[in-house]
Structure formats: structure tokens, C-alpha cells
Short mmCIF file of all heavy atoms in Angstrom, two decimals:
data_model
loop_
_atom_site.label_atom_id
_atom_site.label_comp_id
_atom_site.label_asym_id
_atom_site.label_seq_id
_atom_site.Cartn_x
_atom_site.Cartn_y
_atom_site.Cartn_z
N MET A 339 -10.96 -7.76 4.19
CA MET A 339 -9.77 -7.10 3.67
C MET A 339 -10.00 -6.72 2.20
O MET A 339 -10.46 -7.58 1.42
CB MET A 339 -8.54 -7.91 3.85
CG MET A 339 -8.17 -8.09 5.31
SD MET A 339 -7.52 -6.57 6.04
CE MET A 339 -5.91 -6.48 5.29
N ALA A 340 -9.60 -5.57 1.80
CA ALA A 340 -9.80 -5.15 0.44
C ALA A 340 -8.66 -4.21 0.05
O ALA A 340 -8.00 -3.56 0.96
CB ALA A 340 -11.14 -4.44 0.25
N TYR A 341 -8.50 -3.99 -1.23
CA TYR A 341 -7.56 -3.02 -1.71
C TYR A 341 -8.36 -1.76 -2.08
O TYR A 341 -9.56 -1.77 -2.25
CB TYR A 341 -6.84 -3.54 -2.88
CG TYR A 341 -5.45 -4.10 -2.56
CD1 TYR A 341 -5.38 -5.03 -1.51
CD2 TYR A 341 -4.27 -3.72 -3.19
CE1 TYR A 341 -4.14 -5.57 -1.13
CE2 TYR A 341 -3.05 -4.18 -2.82
CZ TYR A 341 -2.96 -5.09 -1.82
OH TYR A 341 -1.75 -5.67 -1.41
N LYS A 342 -7.61 -0.62 -2.18
CA LYS A 342 -8.19 0.62 -2.66
C LYS A 342 -7.22 1.22 -3.69
O LYS A 342 -6.07 0.88 -3.68
CB LYS A 342 -8.43 1.55 -1.50
CG LYS A 342 -7.15 2.03 -0.80
CD LYS A 342 -7.44 2.99 0.32
CE LYS A 342 -6.19 3.47 1.02
NZ LYS A 342 -6.43 4.28 2.19
N ILE A 343 -7.75 2.17 -4.44
CA ILE A 343 -6.95 2.90 -5.40
C ILE A 343 -6.79 4.36 -4.87
O ILE A 343 -7.76 4.99 -4.54
CB ILE A 343 -7.65 2.95 -6.77
CG1 ILE A 343 -7.62 1.49 -7.38
CG2 ILE A 343 -6.93 3.93 -7.72
CD1 ILE A 343 -8.50 1.36 -8.57
N ILE A 344 -5.51 4.78 -4.80
CA ILE A 344 -5.26 6.16 -4.42
C ILE A 344 -5.56 7.06 -5.59
O ILE A 344 -4.81 7.13 -6.57
CB ILE A 344 -3.78 6.33 -3.97
CG1 ILE A 344 -3.39 5.33 -2.95
CG2 ILE A 344 -3.50 7.76 -3.56
CD1 ILE A 344 -4.10 5.47 -1.63
N ALA A 345 -6.71 7.72 -5.56
CA ALA A 345 -7.20 8.44 -6.75
C ALA A 345 -6.22 9.55 -7.19
O ALA A 345 -6.14 9.77 -8.40
CB ALA A 345 -8.54 9.05 -6.38
N SER A 346 -5.56 10.21 -6.26
CA SER A 346 -4.66 11.30 -6.65
C SER A 346 -3.46 10.80 -7.44
O SER A 346 -2.82 11.62 -8.07
CB SER A 346 -4.22 12.03 -5.40
OG SER A 346 -3.47 11.13 -4.60
N GLN A 347 -3.16 9.50 -7.40
CA GLN A 347 -2.01 8.96 -8.13
C GLN A 347 -2.42 8.22 -9.41
O GLN A 347 -1.65 7.97 -10.28
CB GLN A 347 -1.23 8.02 -7.22
CG GLN A 347 -0.61 8.73 -6.08
CD GLN A 347 0.05 7.78 -5.06
OE1 GLN A 347 0.32 8.18 -3.97
NE2 GLN A 347 0.24 6.51 -5.42
N CYS A 348 -3.69 7.86 -9.46
CA CYS A 348 -4.17 6.99 -10.57
C CYS A 348 -4.24 7.83 -11.83
O CYS A 348 -4.82 8.96 -11.83
CB CYS A 348 -5.57 6.48 -10.20
SG CYS A 348 -6.40 5.61 -11.54
N THR A 349 -3.72 7.26 -12.92
CA THR A 349 -3.70 7.95 -14.19
C THR A 349 -4.90 7.56 -15.05
O THR A 349 -5.02 7.95 -16.17
CB THR A 349 -2.41 7.66 -15.00
OG1 THR A 349 -2.40 6.21 -15.27
CG2 THR A 349 -1.16 8.04 -14.20
N VAL A 350 -5.77 6.75 -14.46
CA VAL A 350 -6.96 6.25 -15.18
C VAL A 350 -6.60 5.54 -16.47
O VAL A 350 -7.26 5.68 -17.48
CB VAL A 350 -7.99 7.43 -15.44
CG1 VAL A 350 -9.32 6.88 -15.78
CG2 VAL A 350 -8.06 8.33 -14.18
N CYS A 351 -5.55 4.76 -16.40
CA CYS A 351 -5.09 4.00 -17.60
C CYS A 351 -5.99 2.84 -17.86
O CYS A 351 -6.06 2.34 -19.01
CB CYS A 351 -3.61 3.54 -17.38
SG CYS A 351 -3.42 2.14 -16.21
N GLY A 352 -6.67 2.32 -16.85
CA GLY A 352 -7.61 1.23 -17.01
C GLY A 352 -6.97 -0.18 -17.01
O GLY A 352 -7.73 -1.17 -17.15
N ALA A 353 -5.70 -0.28 -16.80
CA ALA A 353 -5.04 -1.58 -16.86
C ALA A 353 -5.56 -2.53 -15.77
O ALA A 353 -5.64 -3.76 -16.01
CB ALA A 353 -3.56 -1.43 -16.70
N CYS A 354 -5.95 -2.00 -14.64
CA CYS A 354 -6.35 -2.89 -13.56
C CYS A 354 -7.73 -3.47 -13.71
O CYS A 354 -8.05 -4.58 -13.29
CB CYS A 354 -6.28 -2.08 -12.20
SG CYS A 354 -7.33 -0.56 -12.27
N GLU A 355 -8.57 -2.75 -14.40
CA GLU A 355 -9.98 -3.08 -14.47
C GLU A 355 -10.21 -4.56 -14.88
O GLU A 355 -10.96 -5.26 -14.26
CB GLU A 355 -10.76 -2.15 -15.37
CG GLU A 355 -12.25 -2.46 -15.40
CD GLU A 355 -13.02 -1.50 -16.28
OE1 GLU A 355 -12.44 -0.69 -16.99
OE2 GLU A 355 -14.28 -1.63 -16.24
N PHE A 356 -9.57 -4.99 -15.96
CA PHE A 356 -9.90 -6.31 -16.49
C PHE A 356 -8.99 -7.37 -15.95
O PHE A 356 -9.20 -8.55 -16.25
CB PHE A 356 -9.74 -6.25 -18.04
CG PHE A 356 -10.77 -5.29 -18.61
CD1 PHE A 356 -10.38 -4.08 -19.16
CD2 PHE A 356 -12.13 -5.60 -18.63
CE1 PHE A 356 -11.28 -3.17 -19.67
CE2 PHE A 356 -13.05 -4.68 -19.10
CZ PHE A 356 -12.64 -3.46 -19.66
N GLU A 357 -8.07 -7.03 -15.04
CA GLU A 357 -7.29 -8.06 -14.34
C GLU A 357 -7.88 -8.56 -13.07
O GLU A 357 -7.51 -9.57 -12.59
CB GLU A 357 -5.87 -7.47 -14.08
CG GLU A 357 -5.12 -6.99 -15.25
CD GLU A 357 -4.90 -8.06 -16.28
OE1 GLU A 357 -4.70 -9.22 -15.88
OE2 GLU A 357 -4.93 -7.76 -17.51
N CYS A 358 -8.89 -7.84 -12.62
CA CYS A 358 -9.50 -8.22 -11.30
C CYS A 358 -10.41 -9.48 -11.48
O CYS A 358 -11.28 -9.50 -12.35
CB CYS A 358 -10.33 -7.11 -10.77
SG CYS A 358 -11.16 -7.58 -9.22
N PRO A 359 -10.08 -10.54 -10.73
CA PRO A 359 -10.88 -11.80 -10.89
C PRO A 359 -12.32 -11.65 -10.38
O PRO A 359 -13.14 -12.48 -10.67
CB PRO A 359 -10.07 -12.80 -10.05
CG PRO A 359 -9.37 -11.97 -9.05
CD PRO A 359 -9.03 -10.70 -9.74
N ASN A 360 -12.59 -10.58 -9.66
CA ASN A 360 -13.89 -10.41 -9.09
C ASN A 360 -14.69 -9.20 -9.65
O ASN A 360 -15.71 -8.89 -9.10
CB ASN A 360 -13.77 -10.23 -7.53
CG ASN A 360 -13.05 -11.43 -6.90
OD1 ASN A 360 -13.38 -12.57 -7.26
ND2 ASN A 360 -12.16 -11.15 -6.04
N ALA A 361 -14.17 -8.66 -10.73
CA ALA A 361 -14.85 -7.46 -11.33
C ALA A 361 -15.16 -6.47 -10.24
O ALA A 361 -16.22 -5.87 -10.23
CB ALA A 361 -16.06 -7.92 -12.05
N ALA A 362 -14.18 -6.23 -9.35
CA ALA A 362 -14.34 -5.27 -8.23
C ALA A 362 -14.00 -3.86 -8.59
O ALA A 362 -14.30 -2.93 -7.90
CB ALA A 362 -13.57 -5.75 -7.05
N ILE A 363 -13.36 -3.71 -9.79
CA ILE A 363 -12.84 -2.38 -10.19
C ILE A 363 -13.69 -1.81 -11.28
O ILE A 363 -13.94 -2.49 -12.28
CB ILE A 363 -11.36 -2.48 -10.65
CG1 ILE A 363 -10.50 -3.20 -9.54
CG2 ILE A 363 -10.84 -1.08 -11.01
CD1 ILE A 363 -9.12 -3.49 -10.03
N ARG A 364 -14.12 -0.56 -11.13
CA ARG A 364 -14.91 0.04 -12.17
C ARG A 364 -14.67 1.57 -12.17
O ARG A 364 -14.17 2.14 -11.22
CB ARG A 364 -16.42 -0.25 -12.02
CG ARG A 364 -17.03 0.37 -10.81
CD ARG A 364 -18.43 -0.14 -10.62
NE ARG A 364 -18.93 0.29 -9.32
CZ ARG A 364 -19.74 1.34 -9.12
NH1 ARG A 364 -20.11 2.08 -10.17
NH2 ARG A 364 -20.20 1.65 -7.93
N LEU A 365 -15.00 2.13 -13.36
CA LEU A 365 -14.86 3.56 -13.52
C LEU A 365 -16.13 4.26 -13.02
O LEU A 365 -17.25 3.84 -13.39
CB LEU A 365 -14.65 3.89 -15.00
CG LEU A 365 -14.15 5.25 -15.35
CD1 LEU A 365 -12.82 5.53 -14.74
CD2 LEU A 365 -14.09 5.33 -16.90
N LYS A 366 -15.95 5.17 -12.16
CA LYS A 366 -17.11 5.94 -11.63
C LYS A 366 -16.83 7.42 -11.56
O LYS A 366 -15.81 7.77 -10.92
CB LYS A 366 -17.54 5.40 -10.24
CG LYS A 366 -18.79 6.11 -9.69
CD LYS A 366 -19.09 5.62 -8.28
CE LYS A 366 -20.41 6.25 -7.84
NZ LYS A 366 -20.69 5.94 -6.40
N ASN A 367 -17.54 8.21 -12.24
CA ASN A 367 -17.25 9.64 -12.30
C ASN A 367 -15.78 9.92 -12.68
O ASN A 367 -15.13 10.74 -12.10
CB ASN A 367 -17.59 10.29 -10.95
CG ASN A 367 -19.03 10.15 -10.60
OD1 ASN A 367 -19.92 10.14 -11.47
ND2 ASN A 367 -19.37 10.09 -9.36
N ASP A 368 -15.36 9.12 -13.70
CA ASP A 368 -14.01 9.39 -14.30
C ASP A 368 -12.89 9.00 -13.37
O ASP A 368 -11.71 9.38 -13.67
CB ASP A 368 -13.85 10.81 -14.80
CG ASP A 368 -14.78 11.14 -15.92
OD1 ASP A 368 -15.09 10.25 -16.71
OD2 ASP A 368 -15.21 12.28 -16.03
N ILE A 369 -13.14 8.26 -12.28
CA ILE A 369 -12.03 7.74 -11.48
C ILE A 369 -12.28 6.24 -11.28
O ILE A 369 -13.40 5.77 -11.16
CB ILE A 369 -11.81 8.42 -10.14
CG1 ILE A 369 -13.08 8.27 -9.26
CG2 ILE A 369 -11.48 9.88 -10.31
CD1 ILE A 369 -12.82 8.59 -7.79
N TYR A 370 -11.24 5.46 -11.16
CA TYR A 370 -11.36 4.05 -10.87
C TYR A 370 -11.50 3.84 -9.38
O TYR A 370 -10.75 4.39 -8.56
CB TYR A 370 -10.17 3.27 -11.44
CG TYR A 370 -10.37 2.94 -12.88
CD1 TYR A 370 -9.77 3.71 -13.89
CD2 TYR A 370 -11.18 1.87 -13.30
CE1 TYR A 370 -9.92 3.46 -15.22
CE2 TYR A 370 -11.40 1.61 -14.62
CZ TYR A 370 -10.79 2.40 -15.57
OH TYR A 370 -11.00 2.11 -16.91
N ILE A 371 -12.48 2.97 -9.05
CA ILE A 371 -12.69 2.62 -7.64
C ILE A 371 -12.78 1.13 -7.50
O ILE A 371 -13.10 0.38 -8.44
CB ILE A 371 -13.99 3.30 -7.11
CG1 ILE A 371 -15.22 2.84 -7.94
CG2 ILE A 371 -13.91 4.75 -7.10
CD1 ILE A 371 -16.53 3.18 -7.29
N ILE A 372 -12.47 0.67 -6.28
CA ILE A 372 -12.57 -0.79 -5.93
C ILE A 372 -13.72 -0.91 -5.01
O ILE A 372 -13.80 -0.22 -3.97
CB ILE A 372 -11.28 -1.29 -5.29
CG1 ILE A 372 -10.15 -1.28 -6.32
CG2 ILE A 372 -11.44 -2.68 -4.75
CD1 ILE A 372 -8.74 -1.57 -5.74
N ASP A 373 -14.62 -1.85 -5.33
CA ASP A 373 -15.74 -2.16 -4.47
C ASP A 373 -15.22 -3.07 -3.32
O ASP A 373 -14.83 -4.23 -3.60
CB ASP A 373 -16.88 -2.86 -5.25
CG ASP A 373 -18.06 -3.17 -4.35
OD1 ASP A 373 -17.93 -3.15 -3.12
OD2 ASP A 373 -19.12 -3.42 -4.91
N PRO A 374 -15.14 -2.56 -2.10
CA PRO A 374 -14.55 -3.42 -1.02
C PRO A 374 -15.35 -4.67 -0.75
O PRO A 374 -14.89 -5.59 -0.14
CB PRO A 374 -14.55 -2.42 0.20
CG PRO A 374 -15.59 -1.43 -0.12
CD PRO A 374 -15.60 -1.27 -1.63
N LYS A 375 -16.63 -4.70 -1.16
CA LYS A 375 -17.43 -5.87 -0.94
C LYS A 375 -17.12 -6.97 -1.91
O LYS A 375 -17.36 -8.14 -1.67
CB LYS A 375 -18.94 -5.51 -1.01
CG LYS A 375 -19.38 -4.54 0.12
CD LYS A 375 -20.87 -4.53 0.22
CE LYS A 375 -21.51 -3.84 -1.00
NZ LYS A 375 -21.15 -2.38 -1.09
N LYS A 376 -16.53 -6.61 -3.02
CA LYS A 376 -16.16 -7.60 -4.09
C LYS A 376 -14.67 -8.00 -4.03
O LYS A 376 -14.28 -9.07 -4.44
CB LYS A 376 -16.45 -7.06 -5.46
CG LYS A 376 -17.95 -6.93 -5.72
CD LYS A 376 -18.15 -6.44 -7.18
CE LYS A 376 -19.62 -6.34 -7.53
NZ LYS A 376 -19.78 -5.76 -8.92
N CYS A 377 -13.86 -7.10 -3.48
CA CYS A 377 -12.39 -7.36 -3.47
C CYS A 377 -12.05 -8.39 -2.43
O CYS A 377 -12.40 -8.26 -1.27
CB CYS A 377 -11.62 -6.07 -3.16
SG CYS A 377 -9.83 -6.34 -3.05
N THR A 378 -11.30 -9.44 -2.85
CA THR A 378 -10.86 -10.50 -1.97
C THR A 378 -9.34 -10.42 -1.78
O THR A 378 -8.74 -11.40 -1.26
CB THR A 378 -11.16 -11.88 -2.53
OG1 THR A 378 -10.57 -11.95 -3.85
CG2 THR A 378 -12.72 -12.05 -2.67
N GLU A 379 -8.71 -9.32 -2.24
CA GLU A 379 -7.24 -9.24 -2.28
C GLU A 379 -6.68 -10.35 -3.20
O GLU A 379 -5.50 -10.72 -2.99
CB GLU A 379 -6.66 -9.16 -0.95
CG GLU A 379 -7.10 -7.98 -0.11
CD GLU A 379 -6.27 -7.70 1.10
OE1 GLU A 379 -5.37 -8.52 1.44
OE2 GLU A 379 -6.45 -6.59 1.68
N CYS A 380 -7.49 -10.88 -4.08
CA CYS A 380 -7.07 -11.95 -4.99
C CYS A 380 -6.78 -13.27 -4.31
O CYS A 380 -6.22 -14.16 -4.92
CB CYS A 380 -5.92 -11.54 -5.91
SG CYS A 380 -6.37 -10.27 -7.08
N GLU A 381 -7.24 -13.39 -3.11
CA GLU A 381 -6.95 -14.67 -2.33
C GLU A 381 -7.61 -15.85 -3.14
O GLU A 381 -8.78 -15.77 -3.49
CB GLU A 381 -7.63 -14.60 -0.92
CG GLU A 381 -6.79 -13.74 -0.03
CD GLU A 381 -6.30 -14.53 1.20
OE1 GLU A 381 -6.65 -15.73 1.28
OE2 GLU A 381 -5.56 -13.96 1.96
N GLY A 382 -6.91 -16.89 -3.29
CA GLY A 382 -7.35 -18.08 -3.97
C GLY A 382 -7.33 -18.00 -5.45
O GLY A 382 -7.53 -19.04 -6.12
N ALA A 383 -7.08 -16.82 -6.03
CA ALA A 383 -7.07 -16.64 -7.50
C ALA A 383 -5.65 -16.43 -7.99
O ALA A 383 -5.26 -16.96 -9.00
CB ALA A 383 -7.99 -15.54 -7.91
N PHE A 384 -4.94 -15.57 -7.25
CA PHE A 384 -3.60 -15.20 -7.71
C PHE A 384 -2.66 -15.10 -6.43
O PHE A 384 -3.17 -14.94 -5.38
CB PHE A 384 -3.57 -13.86 -8.41
CG PHE A 384 -4.29 -13.89 -9.72
CD1 PHE A 384 -5.60 -13.43 -9.83
CD2 PHE A 384 -3.72 -14.36 -10.90
CE1 PHE A 384 -6.32 -13.44 -11.03
CE2 PHE A 384 -4.36 -14.41 -12.09
CZ PHE A 384 -5.66 -13.91 -12.16
N ASP A 385 -1.38 -15.22 -6.73
CA ASP A 385 -0.41 -15.11 -5.59
C ASP A 385 -0.33 -13.70 -5.02
O ASP A 385 0.11 -13.51 -3.90
CB ASP A 385 0.98 -15.60 -6.04
CG ASP A 385 0.98 -17.08 -6.28
OD1 ASP A 385 0.13 -17.80 -5.73
OD2 ASP A 385 1.90 -17.47 -7.01
N ALA A 386 -0.68 -12.75 -5.81
CA ALA A 386 -0.54 -11.32 -5.41
C ALA A 386 -1.75 -10.53 -5.96
O ALA A 386 -2.28 -10.94 -6.99
CB ALA A 386 0.72 -10.73 -5.94
N PRO A 387 -2.10 -9.45 -5.36
CA PRO A 387 -3.19 -8.60 -5.82
C PRO A 387 -2.87 -8.14 -7.33
O PRO A 387 -1.86 -7.51 -7.54
CB PRO A 387 -3.27 -7.46 -4.89
CG PRO A 387 -2.72 -8.05 -3.56
CD PRO A 387 -1.69 -8.99 -4.03
N GLN A 388 -3.75 -8.51 -8.17
CA GLN A 388 -3.46 -8.26 -9.65
C GLN A 388 -3.54 -6.74 -9.96
O GLN A 388 -2.83 -6.26 -10.85
CB GLN A 388 -4.39 -9.02 -10.50
CG GLN A 388 -4.07 -10.54 -10.43
CD GLN A 388 -2.68 -10.86 -10.80
OE1 GLN A 388 -2.36 -10.88 -12.00
NE2 GLN A 388 -1.80 -11.14 -9.82
N CYS A 389 -4.37 -5.98 -9.27
CA CYS A 389 -4.48 -4.60 -9.58
C CYS A 389 -3.09 -3.88 -9.28
O CYS A 389 -2.60 -3.15 -10.10
CB CYS A 389 -5.56 -3.92 -8.84
SG CYS A 389 -5.60 -4.26 -7.05
N ASP A 390 -2.55 -4.25 -8.12
CA ASP A 390 -1.21 -3.74 -7.75
C ASP A 390 -0.15 -4.22 -8.75
O ASP A 390 0.75 -3.49 -9.12
CB ASP A 390 -0.89 -4.14 -6.34
CG ASP A 390 0.45 -3.59 -5.85
OD1 ASP A 390 0.81 -2.47 -6.22
OD2 ASP A 390 1.22 -4.31 -5.21
N ALA A 391 -0.26 -5.51 -9.14
CA ALA A 391 0.75 -6.08 -10.06
C ALA A 391 0.79 -5.43 -11.38
O ALA A 391 1.85 -5.24 -11.98
CB ALA A 391 0.48 -7.61 -10.20
N VAL A 392 -0.37 -5.01 -11.92
CA VAL A 392 -0.34 -4.45 -13.29
C VAL A 392 -0.34 -2.93 -13.29
O VAL A 392 0.00 -2.32 -14.35
CB VAL A 392 -1.59 -4.90 -14.10
CG1 VAL A 392 -1.65 -6.40 -14.22
CG2 VAL A 392 -2.86 -4.35 -13.48
N CYS A 393 -0.53 -2.32 -12.13
CA CYS A 393 -0.61 -0.86 -12.13
C CYS A 393 0.75 -0.26 -12.38
O CYS A 393 1.78 -0.63 -11.74
CB CYS A 393 -1.08 -0.32 -10.76
SG CYS A 393 -1.25 1.43 -10.69
N PRO A 394 0.83 0.67 -13.34
CA PRO A 394 2.15 1.27 -13.70
C PRO A 394 2.64 2.27 -12.65
O PRO A 394 3.84 2.69 -12.69
CB PRO A 394 1.87 1.95 -15.04
CG PRO A 394 0.47 2.27 -15.06
CD PRO A 394 -0.21 1.14 -14.25
N VAL A 395 1.79 2.72 -11.79
CA VAL A 395 2.17 3.73 -10.79
C VAL A 395 2.32 3.04 -9.44
O VAL A 395 1.40 2.44 -8.90
CB VAL A 395 1.05 4.81 -10.64
CG1 VAL A 395 1.54 5.94 -9.77
CG2 VAL A 395 0.59 5.29 -12.00
N PRO A 396 3.57 3.08 -8.88
CA PRO A 396 3.82 2.38 -7.67
C PRO A 396 2.98 2.90 -6.51
O PRO A 396 2.62 4.05 -6.44
CB PRO A 396 5.32 2.75 -7.37
CG PRO A 396 5.88 3.06 -8.68
CD PRO A 396 4.80 3.67 -9.47
N LYS A 397 2.55 1.94 -5.64
CA LYS A 397 1.79 2.30 -4.40
C LYS A 397 0.50 3.02 -4.71
O LYS A 397 0.09 3.93 -3.99
CB LYS A 397 2.67 3.07 -3.45
CG LYS A 397 3.90 2.29 -2.95
CD LYS A 397 4.63 3.10 -1.86
CE LYS A 397 5.67 2.26 -1.15
NZ LYS A 397 6.76 1.76 -2.07
N THR A 398 -0.16 2.65 -5.78
CA THR A 398 -1.42 3.25 -6.12
C THR A 398 -2.61 2.35 -5.80
O THR A 398 -3.68 2.78 -5.40
CB THR A 398 -1.45 3.70 -7.61
OG1 THR A 398 -0.46 4.72 -7.76
CG2 THR A 398 -2.80 4.29 -7.98
N CYS A 399 -2.39 1.05 -5.97
CA CYS A 399 -3.38 0.03 -5.46
C CYS A 399 -2.75 -0.52 -4.18
O CYS A 399 -1.76 -1.25 -4.20
CB CYS A 399 -3.51 -1.08 -6.46
SG CYS A 399 -4.24 -0.50 -8.09
N VAL A 400 -3.41 -0.21 -3.10
CA VAL A 400 -2.83 -0.52 -1.77
C VAL A 400 -3.92 -1.13 -0.87
O VAL A 400 -5.12 -0.92 -1.13
CB VAL A 400 -2.18 0.73 -1.10
CG1 VAL A 400 -1.06 1.21 -1.93
CG2 VAL A 400 -3.28 1.82 -0.95
N PRO A 401 -3.49 -1.77 0.18
CA PRO A 401 -4.47 -2.28 1.17
C PRO A 401 -5.29 -1.13 1.77
O PRO A 401 -4.70 -0.07 2.11
CB PRO A 401 -3.64 -2.99 2.27
CG PRO A 401 -2.33 -3.29 1.55
CD PRO A 401 -2.14 -2.22 0.54
N ALA A 402 -6.60 -1.33 1.85
CA ALA A 402 -7.43 -0.27 2.35
C ALA A 402 -7.39 -0.16 3.88
O ALA A 402 -7.69 0.92 4.46
CB ALA A 402 -8.88 -0.51 1.93
N GLY A 403 -7.02 -1.22 4.53
CA GLY A 403 -7.08 -1.27 5.98
C GLY A 403 -6.03 -0.41 6.67
O GLY A 403 -5.13 0.14 6.16
S1 LIG B 1857 -6.82 -7.03 -4.99
FE1 LIG B 1857 -7.53 -8.44 -6.56
S2 LIG B 1857 -9.72 -8.68 -6.08
FE2 LIG B 1857 -9.09 -6.81 -5.06
S3 LIG B 1857 -9.49 -5.21 -6.52
FE3 LIG B 1857 -7.34 -5.77 -6.85
S4 LIG B 1857 -7.44 -7.33 -8.52
FE4 LIG B 1857 -9.57 -7.12 -7.66
S1 LIG B 1858 -3.76 0.36 -13.21
FE1 LIG B 1858 -3.27 1.89 -11.70
S2 LIG B 1858 -3.08 3.87 -12.84
FE2 LIG B 1858 -4.20 2.41 -14.11
S3 LIG B 1858 -6.36 2.74 -13.70
FE3 LIG B 1858 -5.70 1.10 -12.32
S4 LIG B 1858 -5.14 2.14 -10.43
FE4 LIG B 1858 -5.17 3.70 -12.05
#
């Protein structure tokens, strides 16, 4: 299970990048992407997915499944 970023809604603010406990979020070709192989949905690290928690745009960091 992993989260994804809805690129069409992302403002590329960068807030999520450094909140990820697994360094799963990075900028690629001027858009932020989540590496599904690194994303754990923050299990064991936080009570809620931190990318979603800090993202200023609602429903932009969402479950990929
Ligand atoms: S859900 Fe957690 S582990 Fe996955 S990308 Fe977001 S901050 Fe990183
Ligand atoms: S916090 Fe949200 S709007 Fe900002 S870069 Fe991450 S996904 Fe995009």
C-alpha cells in the first residue's frame, strides 16, 4: 500500500518532501512524486500519512490503490 500525489492539484510547494519518514517523495521533472516502493503509508512512524497531513491542498496526497 502506498500513497500517490495527484499532480494536477499539487502546487509543488515542497512541504511534503521533508515530512516523509522514508524519503519516498522527490521532485522529478518539476513535479513531486511518491516512490511506491518506499512509501509505507507512514505505518509505524506516524498515526496518519504525513504527506497528506501537511499538504495544503485537500485530497492531493491520497491512497494509490
Ligand atoms: S504516506 Fe508517509 S511514507 Fe508514504 S509518501 Fe506520504 S509521508 Fe511518505
Ligand atoms: S505538500 Fe501537497 S501541494 Fe505541496 S508539494 Fe506536496 S503534494 Fe504538492
Side-chain angles (χ1 to χ4, degrees):
M339 292 290 285
Y341 264 51
K342 66 179 178 183
I343 293 169
I344 307 296
S346 62
Q347 296 172 193
C348 173
T349 63
V350 197
C351 73
C354 56
E355 181 178 8
F356 298 108
E357 301 301 325
C358 179
N360 301 317
I363 305 171
R364 66 188 171 98
L365 195 60
K366 183 184 183 187
N367 297 330
D368 296 328
I369 62 166
Y370 276 99
I371 58 169
I372 293 173
D373 183 342
K375 295 193 294 291
K376 292 183 178 176
C377 176
T378 58
E379 299 196 349
C380 288
E381 285 240 357
F384 296 97
D385 289 340
Q388 292 302 285
C389 50
D390 182 39
V392 301
C393 183
V395 189
K397 296 186 171 63
T398 296
C399 298
V400 296

